[in-house]
Amino acid sequence: VDLAQAYPSLKADGYTITPAQAKAGAARIEAEGLADRVTVYERDSTKDVFPNRYDVALGVEVTCHIEDKDDLFRNLTSALKPDGQILLMDFVAHLRGAIVDPKVSVYIPTADQWVDLVSRHGLAIDETVDLSTQISNAMDDPDCEENIRGLPPVLRDSWRNWTNNAVAIERGWVGYRLFRLRRTTELT
């Protein structure tokens, strides 16, 4: 919504598997008068075909929650125009292997796994930017337990999760990166 407000020629479609997010997004889009250019769907980006072809796809901390990244990237690349790009903000595991915890829907690939994944889907990594320090500093809360006292359980869990992310970044277990990916036919 913010991007559509800033760029009047922008047309956008968004997917979420969370009904409440889809409903809240639709309400905000309507309230901002953007319904002719912006739509949020309650759909699964790993399997539901996107309604258009896009110059750019944007994902913010999405891939780390998707187990089947091949289905995600297959669907995303099929929705990109030939010179399309994917911009991601997400985590990279710095351990011996991926971080996988289905109980909390976390599936974080290593750097090598990221490279293999995007190359399999005809994407080149044009740029990555390591924002680990900045993100860790923004999420750091040494008084987390005191600050979450009295909050509803879902907010306590979310806040605690952000604080734990800061610890994981500080200890070098994960990094936080921006990725600029480009569709290419140059890969073999």
Side-chain angles (χ1 to χ4, degrees):
V1 173
D2 293 338
L3 287 172
Q5 289 172 322
Y7 300 96
S9 63
L10 180 76
K11 294 181 181 180
D13 296 311
Y15 276 19
T16 178
I17 60 169
T18 307
Q21 282 183 336
K23 185 177 179 181
R28 182 163 177 222
I29 289 164
E30 186 66 35
E32 299 291 340
L34 299 170
D36 61 325
R37 298 189 293 121
V38 180
T39 306
V40 173
Y41 299 92
E42 182 187 336
R43 293 184 183 165
D44 185 336
S45 57
T46 66
K47 59 185 171 190
D48 294 319
V49 175
F50 288 94
N52 292 298
R53 295 291 169 258
Y54 305 94
D55 296 309
V56 176
L58 175 66
V60 180
E61 296 171 17
V62 174
T63 57
C64 63
H65 295 294
I66 295 176
E67 182 174 15
D68 193 341
K69 291 173 184 20
D70 279 306
D71 279 352
L72 171 67
F73 279 92
R74 188 175 302 108
N75 201 23
L76 280 173
T77 55
S78 70
L80 284 179
K81 291 181 180 177
D83 58 347
Q85 294 186 50
I86 298 175
L87 307 176
L88 298 176
M89 293 166 254
D90 225 309
F91 295 93
V92 177
H94 291 165
L95 303 173
R96 290 183 185 163
I99 298 171
V100 176
D101 189 347
K103 290 181 280 187
V104 291
S105 187
V106 169
Y107 309 92
I108 302 172
T110 65
D112 288 342
Q113 290 168 333
W114 269 109
V115 170
D116 291 345
L117 173 68
V118 300
S119 337
R120 278 196 305 272
H121 295 282
L123 296 164
I125 300 173
D126 279 345
E127 182 178 19
T128 69
V129 178
D130 186 353
L131 292 178
S132 300
T133 301
Q134 295 86 341
I135 294 298
S136 176
N137 288 340
M139 295 186 296
D140 184 43
D141 184 2
D143 300 318
C144 175
E145 293 306 317
E146 180 181 324
N147 291 331
I148 64 176
R149 191 175 302 124
L151 292 177
V154 69
L155 291 178
R156 283 195 312 262
D157 291 345
S158 291
W159 195 315
R160 194 177 287 123
N161 181 55
W162 281 108
T163 300
N164 289 338
N165 283 338
V167 170
I169 292 170
E170 286 171 5
R171 293 184 179 172
W173 301 338
V174 296
Y176 191 94
R177 300 194 74 87
L178 305 181
F179 296 88
R180 185 165 51 91
L181 311 174
R182 172 183 42 89
R183 233 179 134 173
T184 183
T185 57
E186 299 167 10
L187 300 172
T188 56

